[in-house]
Structures are given as structure tokens and as C-alpha cells.
């Protein structure tokens, strides 16, 4: 069980996970970022500026919406934390506003980012425009094709979108390319990592900026029901949305926490992105965490209908939560994620992104073992506009009567 201590520790570790495994040229930048963030957290001016931007620019607080028809159908009381209603359409803006303010504070003129589903790229491009910074977003060529709408949005916002053609042409390779670029431009650029991954202090920093999700949800569920929920449910790729919801509840031992990974087409190697379920300890992108790898330690390819979950690693805090049994992690297949998206669209009139559709796809399985009327909070991390073409293609392939 998680003890009442500050995580990560001073060396950036969550138990055996986390840390810094980076080239020497980047160590100075990480030390500067760690020092500047520690100072910013204590600075009332920084905190006031971030609160103001989250409220007036991003649109916080987001509602905790009671999904009445979905609840009636599944026999539990389901509350959706509506991050999809934020400016840019996903929770990613919480983190990029925080990191953008830090970049300005450090005197950086350029933001670098990686993106899979494009939502983090859009949020970074948005913040760069807001603060007058230049912006370059690295994106796998395959992800650029399946998330073409977000590529257009980033370019309209003034960002350069650089295609990554190596490897699997997805998020892992985009992250590697962003790190390579950062190594050579570290004096003028801030690397705006989009999830709770990477070397210390990124997993802590991104978690802190995303914890506003759980802080609001905790306050809102107490106002609505007078009690804490029985269960928190959120999708996990790198894990920023889930850790943002989970972290403020981590000491509430009666609140169960379940993260839902991408089960892809099957749980055989190379056909999923279920890192917490199938991974082993290893180092990727500057941190020690669980990693999908073969017996020689080579990173395995991943597969998921959702570009945002298509990543072979996971945030070290999630690996630690699983190790100490504070959270449980399951996998949902592409097929069930599609069913989840349809279920929410047709019961509540809300089209979710394919990432949170994985959590919706697991709801029925989670609900059957809870008492009737038990309150559940589901993190609805993003809206589904970007995924309409993917949804249409897959649903049509399964049943030509669909569009």
C-alpha cells in the first residue's frame, strides 16, 4: 500500500521505477527544469497565473456529469469527468499550460513535443501560439494518416509537424525523435512531454499538472453524493489522464482504481499495448518502468485502434501502483472499445475519443460485481471528433450497414 510520503523520492523514483537515464547533455536541462518547477510551485504568482489560465482559457472546472441512461442500463451510478469539454478537446491542455508557463519562466523560445493521437500536439501548438513561442511537433507517419484532422489543426496554429518515418511510425518513434532533437537544441528549447513518462522530473511534473482532474472530481462527487466513489476508471497509455484522476484519491483506501489498457486485436506479443499486464521492467525514453519487450530486451511493436494508447511503455507511478496493489490494470480489445464508443454515443449523446472508449468498454464488466447504485467515476479524457473516420471505417468493415 502507498505510504503517506511524497512520491517520487529525491532521486525521482517511485519505488524501483522512474529515475533519469539520459545523455549527459540533457542532465543539465533536467536539473534546471527540476529546480525551476520546485521554485514555481512555491511562487504565488505562478500558481495564480496557472489557475487563471485553467479557468478562463481552458474552461475549468469541467463538469462531473451523471450519465443517467447509461447508469440505468448498467445498474450502477456512473459519473463522467468531462475533460472532453476543455479547450482543444482533451485533458492535454492542463499539462501544456503548466509546462508552457515554465518554459516562459526559463526563457525558452521554442517548444518541442511528441504526439500520437494528436491531442497533445494540438495542445502544445495552442500554448505555443498563446505565449508567442515557436513549436515543432514530432508525429509518426502512420499516426499522421489516422489523425489527419489534428495535423491540420496543429499547422493552422502555426506549429511545424515533422513526420517520423522510422520504426513503427507511431508514438514510440515520435518520442525518440523528439528526444534526439532536444539533445541538440536544449539551450533554447523546452521539451513538453505529453504524458507521465520520461526522465525525472517529467512524471512528477505532468502528474501534478493533471491532478486538477482528480482534485475537482473528489470535490464534485462529495457535493453530489455526500461520499467518495466505489471505483475510478480511466484509460492508460502513457497514463497522464489516469494518474491525474487517481493521484488525489491514492490514500482513500476504499476507492478502487482500475486503469484500462489497449488490448489491440489480441494479447499475443506485437498485437496490443497492454504494458502493465504484459510488460517487464526496462528502460525506455529516460526512465525505468514496465516495458513490452522480447526475451533479448528489444522493444516489441504495439497495436491499437487508438493512436493515443499505442505505446510500449507506461508511466513509472502506474507501475508502482500496480506493484503495491493500489491500482489494478486490465486490457480491453479494439472491438470492445468500438462498442464502448457506440454505447456512450447512443445512451448519452456523447461521442468519446477512442482512448476513453476503452474505459467505457470495460464498464459493464466492472459494474456486474458492484452493488446496485454504486457510484463510479469514469475519466472521459477527450472527445471523438478526431476518430470519426477510424470509427466509420472499422464499423463499416464489421457491418456494411454502418456508414
Amino acid at each position: 500500500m502507498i505510504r503517506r510520503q511524497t512520491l517520487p523520492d529525491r532521486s525521482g523514483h517511485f519505488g524501483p521505477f522512474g529515475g533519469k537515464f539520459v545523455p549527459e547533455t540533457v542532465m543539465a536541462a533536467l536539473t534546471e527544469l527540476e529546480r525551476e518547477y520546485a521554485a514555481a510551485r512555491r511562487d504565488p504568482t505562478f500558481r495564480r497565473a496557472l489557475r487563471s489560465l485553467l479557468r478562463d482559457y481552458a474552461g475549468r472546472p469541467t463538469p462531473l456529469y451523471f450519465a443517467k441512461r447509461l447508469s440505468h442500463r448498467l445498474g450502477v451510478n456512473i459519473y463522467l469527468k468531462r475533460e472532453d469539454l476543455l479547450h482543444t478537446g482533451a485533458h492535454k491542455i492542463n499539462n501544456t499550460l503548466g509546462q508552457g508557463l515554465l518554459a516562459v519562466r526559463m526563457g525558452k523560445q521554442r517548444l518541442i513535443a511528441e504526439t500520437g493521437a494528436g491531442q497533445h500536439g494540438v495542445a502544445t501548438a495552442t500554448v505555443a501560439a498563446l505565449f508567442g513561442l515557436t513549436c515543432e511537433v514530432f508525429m509518426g507517419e502512420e499516426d499522421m494518416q489516422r489523425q489527419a484532422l489534428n495535423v491540420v489543426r496543429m499547422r493552422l496554429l502555426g506549429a511545424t509537424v515533422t513526420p517520423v518515418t522510422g520504426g513503427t511510425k507511431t508514438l514510440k518513434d515520435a518520442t525518440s525523435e523528439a528526444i534526439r532533437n532536444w539533445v541538440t537544441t536544449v539551450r533554447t528549447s523546452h521539451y513538453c512531454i505529453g504524458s507521465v513518462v520520461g526522465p525525472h522530473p517529467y512524471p512528477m511534473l505532468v502528474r501534478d499538472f493533471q491532478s486538477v482532474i482528480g482534485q475537482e472530481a473528489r470535490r464534485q462527487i462529495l457535493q453530489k453524493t455526500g461520499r467518495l466513489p466505489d471505483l475510478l476508471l480511466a484509460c492508460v497509455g502513457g497514463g497522464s489522464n489516469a494518474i491525474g484522476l487517481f493521484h488525489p484519491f491514492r490514500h482513500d483506501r476504499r476507492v478502487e482504481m482500475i486503469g484500462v489498457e489497449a488490448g489491440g486485436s489480441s494479447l499475443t506479443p506485437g498485437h496490443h499495448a497492454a504494458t502493465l499486464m504484459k510488460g517487464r521492467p526496462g528502460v525506455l525514453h529516460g526512465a525505468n518502468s514496465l516495458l513490452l519487450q522480447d526475451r533479448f530486451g528489444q522493444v516489441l511493436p504495439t497495436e491499437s485502434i487508438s493512436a493515443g494508447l499505442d505505446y510500449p511503455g507506461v508511466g513509472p507511478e502506474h507501475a508502482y501502483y500496480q506493484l503495491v496493489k493500489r491500482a489494478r490494470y486490465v486490457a480491453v480489445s479494439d472491438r470492445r472499445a468500438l462498442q464502448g464508443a457506440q454505447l456512450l454515443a447512443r445512451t448519452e449523446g456523447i461521442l468519446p475519443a477512442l482512448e476513453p472508449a476503452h474505459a467505457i468498454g470495460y464498464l459493464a464488466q466492472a459494474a456486474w460485481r458492484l452493488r446496485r447504485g454504486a457510484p463510479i467515476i469514469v475519466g472521459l479524457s477527450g472527445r471523438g471528433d478526431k476518430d470519426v473516420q477510424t470509427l466509420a471505417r472499422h464499423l463499416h468493415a464489421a457491418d456494411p450497414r454502418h456508414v
Side-chain angles (χ1 to χ4, degrees):
M1 183 57 66
I2 297 173
R3 288 176 292 168
R4 285 193 177 275
Q5 62 181 14
T6 301
L7 286 173
D9 63 21
R10 289 187 175 183
S11 63
H13 284 84
F14 301 84
F17 304 111
K20 295 176 186 172
F21 298 85
V22 294
E24 193 176 339
T25 48
V26 174
M27 283 299 289
L30 291 175
T31 302
E32 178 194 22
L33 179 61
E34 190 176 354
R35 183 176 61 244
E36 201 64 47
Y37 177 56
R41 281 200 300 187
R42 297 189 299 270
D43 183 350
T45 304
F46 179 88
R47 296 203 305 266
R48 193 161 48 246
L50 181 57
R51 272 199 307 271
S52 173
L53 285 168
L54 289 171
R55 182 187 64 233
D56 300 330
Y57 187 74
R60 303 210 72 90
T62 58
L64 186 69
Y65 167 71
F66 176 57
K68 184 177 178 180
R69 294 190 65 226
L70 184 62
S71 298
H72 179 73
R73 183 158 174 163
L74 298 180
V76 291
N77 287 341
I78 299 163
Y79 294 85
L80 304 175
K81 185 55 177 164
R82 297 290 308 274
E83 298 298 291
D84 60 315
L85 296 179
L86 285 170
H87 179 45
T88 73
H91 71 294
K92 297 293 186 181
I93 193 73
N94 304 322
N95 168 50
T96 54
L97 281 171
Q99 289 202 49
L101 278 174
L102 275 178
V104 171
R105 188 182 169 103
M106 290 186 291
K108 307 290 184 180
Q109 295 101 43
R110 179 172 177 260
L111 295 181
I112 302 168
E114 83 298 326
T115 195
Q119 293 298 83
H120 174 59
V122 170
T124 305
T126 299
V127 167
L130 177 68
F131 293 136
L133 306 172
T134 58
C135 180
E136 183 168 4
V137 180
F138 295 88
M139 191 170 188
E141 198 172 49
E142 181 179 328
D143 289 340
M144 287 182 70
Q145 291 173 6
R146 55 180 173 174
Q147 298 295 338
L149 175 64
N150 276 339
V151 174
V152 174
R153 293 172 73 194
M154 284 182 267
R155 287 174 172 160
L156 285 171
L157 289 159
T160 300
V161 183
T162 301
V164 177
T165 57
T168 58
K169 306 174 186 177
T170 57
L171 181 58
K172 175 181 78 70
D173 303 292
T175 305
S176 299
E177 195 60 36
I179 291 173
R180 275 192 285 272
N181 185 282
W182 190 37
V183 169
T184 60
T185 62
V186 72
R187 290 184 61 188
T188 57
S189 301
H190 171 69
Y191 180 18
C192 188
I193 290 184
S195 194
V196 283
V197 298
H200 179 69
Y202 280 105
M204 172 185 71
L205 185 152
V206 178
R207 175 202 70 194
D208 289 354
F209 289 140
Q210 293 293 3
S211 289
V212 68
I213 302 170
Q215 290 161 6
E216 284 179 9
R218 198 175 192 285
R219 189 165 58 247
Q220 290 166 325
I221 196 74
L222 286 171
Q223 288 171 350
K224 286 177 181 285
T225 69
R227 54 161 296 180
L228 294 176
D230 283 16
L231 173 65
L232 302 176
L233 199 61
C235 62
V236 177
S240 66
N241 153 67
I243 214 71
L245 180 62
F246 291 176
H247 188 73
F249 290 88
R250 66 195 183 283
H251 296 309
D252 299 309
R253 299 187 179 195
R254 292 185 179 178
V255 179
E256 186 179 6
M257 305 194 299
I258 298 179
V260 184
E261 296 189 292
S265 58
S266 80
L267 286 180
T268 54
H271 293 283
H272 63 84
T275 308
L276 286 150
M277 290 189 69
K278 297 292 183 178
R280 292 184 289 116
V283 173
L284 178 67
H285 297 144
N288 180 41
S289 187
L290 294 178
L291 176 63
L292 294 173
Q293 52 191 308
D294 64 18
R295 64 194 179 96
F296 302 108
Q298 296 299 305
V299 179
L300 286 168
T302 52
E303 179 186 316
S304 172
I305 194 173
S306 166
L309 303 184
D310 203 352
Y311 185 66
V314 69
E317 191 161 357
H318 283 294
Y320 179 69
Y321 280 12
Q322 177 170 260
L323 178 70
V324 299
K325 302 186 188 309
R326 180 60 191 94
R328 188 160 64 85
Y329 297 88
V330 299
V332 155
S333 67
D334 290 347
R335 183 177 58 82
R336 282 176 56 197
L338 286 168
Q339 292 170 348
Q342 287 178 290
L343 176 65
L344 189 61
R346 294 178 181 182
T347 56
E348 297 294 338
I350 298 170
L351 182 61
L354 281 170
E355 288 83 1
H358 284 71
I360 303 295
Y362 187 73
L363 256 178
Q365 198 170 335
W368 75 267
R369 61 186 178 78
L370 297 175
R371 64 174 177 78
R372 190 166 187 81
I376 296 175
I377 296 178
V378 181
L380 195 61
S381 58
R383 67 180 186 228
D385 310 36
K386 67 183 177 61
D387 295 319
V388 167
Q389 290 186 339
T390 303
L391 281 160
R393 188 169 62 253
H394 283 269
L395 292 172
H396 181 77
D399 182 350
R401 290 173 297 178
H402 282 286
V403 292

